[in-house]
Amino acid sequence: MAVQEDTLINKISIHYKENRLLECRNIILTPGTVSALVGSSGSGKTLTALALLNLIPFAAPGLKAEADITFPTPANGFRLSYVPQGTGFHLQPTVSIRAQIRNLVCGKGGLSSEAYSEKDVLQLLRRMRFRNPEKLITFTPLELSGGMLQRVLLAVAFLRRPHLMILDEPTTALDSYARTSVYREILNCVKQYNTTVLILTHNNRDISVLADRVYVINNGKITSGPEPKTFSHNTFTGHKRKEQPSIRESKWKITDLAVSLSSKRKTFGPSFFGNKTNREPFCIEPFSIQLNTSDCLGIIGESGCGKTTLLRAMACLIKINGGQILLDAEDLTQKSQKELRVLRKYFQVVFQDSSKSLNPLLTVKDILREPFIIHKEKVPDENTLKDVLTRVVLPKNILDRKVTELSFGQRQRLALLRALYCFPHLKVLMIDEPFSGLDAEAARAVIAFWREKADHLITIMASHEIEWIQALSNKVHVIKDGNHIETFNAFQKDTISEYTQTFWEAGLVSDRESLMKFHDVKKP
């Protein structure tokens, strides 16, 4: 039964010792509408959601939270769905997707076992652009990409038929097609079940497409914001790269690079009795390209198509099946791991989930100093490090904090800063979804910092954000299911294929009207 009562946030107050971090009063969340809580990275959006769900004592035990919230009281029980940011940490890595979806949908406060239907699950997954959902649900999270994991968690949220649904950065890991399908499913959930939706985001597109009402968080206070339609403007204006000839200082040449990942894993059901499963290997067909200093190659494609795998292969982080990777005529594929460790000061990779590449036991100061120590460079003093932090809009007082004390966006900026600043001899920078956790101000600061070095770097950027690829790259490579569709000059898109054109258009959907007008390609 649909709920007609509002969710009333009478008061939320969060303190750290004597300091007030966040306060909000008199927020109304209305059934059948989408409200957006907007703020910069580290402003307290996630803390607000945790306080709303009474999770502060578990997620941040050092903080003190006071919350006075009035939830609706439907006769059949109040159902709530929450999808946190950073989906890789919220699913059991060795349990099948089928078992986890059922357990989460029918778990505490969810649907009854009688109301659960695997047929409904498969239909929803298919609408969310999973090609073979029957096969997908037999996989474990270890076998899925970041975008796939995010869609699985979102599917769980929809399947619970919630009265209140809280989504923290719901589209950060999604490609153009997947994002449009998720938009439609969120709006469908609102319409079909009269769901109250709260999205926490810094993404203008999410706001303009989904939101009916906007709240802004700034300096620890939450207030009513402007109309959602005011967020539909293009925040990428002014960042466009001008066409220029390459500066031929360094060369990065890849010849017939081929990858085949066998996926023979042991999976565990709810009873924890293991059974071996054989999967077809995921293959990337041979890939060749030559890049020169100042080139920026943008790699685009649907989630799970092989972008991250290709980056890992180019960074010599996984075993390849053939081909060469030449950096200034030196073949990296012929080097031992010990030799590669020495050469990594010339090429670095920043991962999509920076939490997995930053040591949680080290402070920010130690993380920034470590590369200088390893490669026997002069270690910068503390004042220099503080000045560098401000270049990417990170506060100076985080030097003595550990990574676990930073927000998702702050960790992303720290990983990018570490690669750009702490390796003075860097020649090749590979980045996976560099701006997914960044608000507009932080993204502009990171781009400005990157531009200072870009003319002396080869940059390879895998991203779902078509605007960033269009603005920053001079070459674009399209990949689909491990197959290389085409590589083209970013300034001359008149010869691209129909698939690329449609994918490009999906990435430019910027409001609800353009979402309704966009016609997806045939679902596979």
Side-chain angles (χ1 to χ4, degrees), residues 325-378:
I325 304 171
L326 301 178
L327 176 58
D328 292 337
E330 197 163 9
D331 191 355
L332 301 182
T333 61
Q334 302 302 314
K335 303 294 182 182
S336 66
Q337 287 300 317
K338 185 176 181 180
E339 291 172 320
L340 281 174
R341 275 195 292 272
V342 176
L343 292 172
R344 286 197 185 279
K345 64 181 177 181
Y346 300 118
F347 65 100
Q348 282 289 304
V349 58
V350 178
F351 299 101
Q352 181 174 356
D353 189 347
S354 52
S355 306
K356 296 177 181 177
S357 58
L358 298 173
N359 191 333
L361 301 178
L362 297 181
T363 63
V364 172
K365 184 197 304 179
D366 293 333
I367 285 171
L368 292 176
R369 285 179 169 177
E370 185 182 43
F372 292 99
I373 295 170
I374 290 174
H375 296 291
K376 299 177 182 178
E377 304 284 346
K378 183 181 178 182

Side-chain angles (χ1 to χ4, degrees), residues 390-410:
T390 61
R391 298 290 306 278
V392 290
V393 203
L394 285 172
K396 295 180 179 181
N397 60 3
I398 68 168
L399 272 182
D400 293 318
R401 294 187 199 174
K402 292 186 177 180
V403 174
T404 51
E405 300 176 64
L406 306 181
S407 73
F408 184 87
Q410 288 174 328

Side-chain angles (χ1 to χ4, degrees), residues 2 19 30 55 74 273:
N19 300 319
T30 306
L55 292 175
F273 288 102

Side-chain angles (χ1 to χ4, degrees), residues 380-445:
D381 59 38
E382 192 166 314
N383 289 330
T384 303
L385 293 180
K386 286 180 179 180
D387 291 338
V388 172
L389 287 173
T390 61
R391 298 290 306 278
V392 290
V393 203
L394 285 172
K396 295 180 179 181
N397 60 3
I398 68 168
L399 272 182
D400 293 318
R401 294 187 199 174
K402 292 186 177 180
V403 174
T404 51
E405 300 176 64
L406 306 181
S407 73
F408 184 87
Q410 288 174 328
R411 290 196 294 266
Q412 190 73 4
R413 274 174 280 166
L414 178 62
L416 288 163
L417 177 65
R418 185 178 185 269
L420 283 167
Y421 174 72
C422 301
F423 295 89
H425 304 292
L426 189 66
K427 295 180 179 180
V428 181
L429 175 64
M430 290 166 271
I431 325 173
D432 193 2
E433 293 296 341
F435 308 112
S436 59
L438 305 185
D439 58 82
E441 181 188 5
R444 283 193 293 267

Side-chain angles (χ1 to χ4, degrees), residues 241 247 249 293-295 388 391 416-429 446-459:
R241 179 181 181 134
I247 304 169
E249 293 177 0
T293 299
S294 81
D295 279 342
V388 172
R391 298 290 306 278
L416 288 163
L417 177 65
R418 185 178 185 269
L420 283 167
Y421 174 72
C422 301
F423 295 89
H425 304 292
L426 189 66
K427 295 180 179 180
V428 181
L429 175 64
V446 169
I447 287 172
F449 193 64
W450 168 77
R451 282 198 187 282
E452 292 179 9
K453 302 174 181 292
D455 286 344
H456 304 284
L457 276 179
I458 296 168
T459 308

